[in-house]
Amino acid sequence: HIDTTPAFEIFDTTKGKIFYKGYFKDFAGMVYFIGSLLMMYLGVMGVRSMEWLKFKMQFVKFSKLLTLSTLARLFYTNCYFAIIFTVGFIFTRVKGIGIVPIEVRNYLFYCIFTLIMMSFFYLSGLLIAAALRFRNASYVLMIFIWLLFVFFLPELNRMELGAGSPKFREPDKT
């Protein structure tokens, strides 16, 4: 029986320590960082062209127009992100990285979750634009809410999880 505890430092507590610096250095982080800002911006811009809306309202009710236009924009932007995910998957296959079926399933779940999350950012931007009539105020509020969702809430969650993590006793030094 070989005791490998000192070699692996299993009892080293990580409470309050930073595991890594920076959130957006990998593929998922870049998609989240850039994609969330882009989707929120597109949501704010969704009701900005009032001339177009007035022209279309001659033919269709406003609620139907807004619903169809939102669904169409969500469809096209989600297709854009689906293409990015597909290209990322193809690049891993071209580089010869072996992927087992369970990893493909997990990647598909990640893609679906990200598309739902990006749709949430789009709808948040649309809500901001609908609530505020002034363009500059909606941009300021958009940036504030985006910073809140992207930086503050994840950091608050990380701090809360770190505070609730159990402390391990230090190993006896003999």
Side-chain angles (χ1 to χ4, degrees), residues 4-74:
T4 59
T5 304
F8 293 119
E9 296 180 23
I10 293 173
F11 292 103
D12 183 28
T13 180
T14 57
K15 182 175 180 179
K17 294 181 182 175
I18 298 174
F19 295 117
Y20 59 95
K21 294 183 180 182
Y23 294 108
F24 310 111
K25 293 183 180 179
D26 59 350
F27 176 74
M30 291 302 291
V31 169
Y32 178 64
F33 182 75
I34 295 171
S36 62
L37 182 61
L38 174 68
M39 290 297 278
M40 194 169 269
Y41 174 75
L42 291 174
V44 168
M45 295 304 293
V47 293
R48 286 297 171 206
S49 59
M50 292 307 284
E51 296 81 22
W52 178 80
L53 288 174
K54 287 178 185 175
F55 171 72
K56 287 292 197 176
M57 282 176 40
Q58 296 173 0
F59 309 108
V60 196
K61 291 191 303 187
F62 179 72
S63 60
K64 186 175 181 180
L65 174 67
L66 187 61
T67 303
L68 291 176
S69 128
T70 300
L71 289 176
R73 289 177 181 178
L74 277 174

Side-chain angles (χ1 to χ4, degrees), residues 102 152 174:
I102 190 97
F152 182 70
T174 56

Side-chain angles (χ1 to χ4, degrees), residues 146-157 159:
W146 178 75
L147 289 172
L148 179 77
F149 284 151
V150 172
F151 291 105
F152 182 70
L153 291 179
E155 185 64 22
L156 187 66
N157 185 36
M159 290 180 349

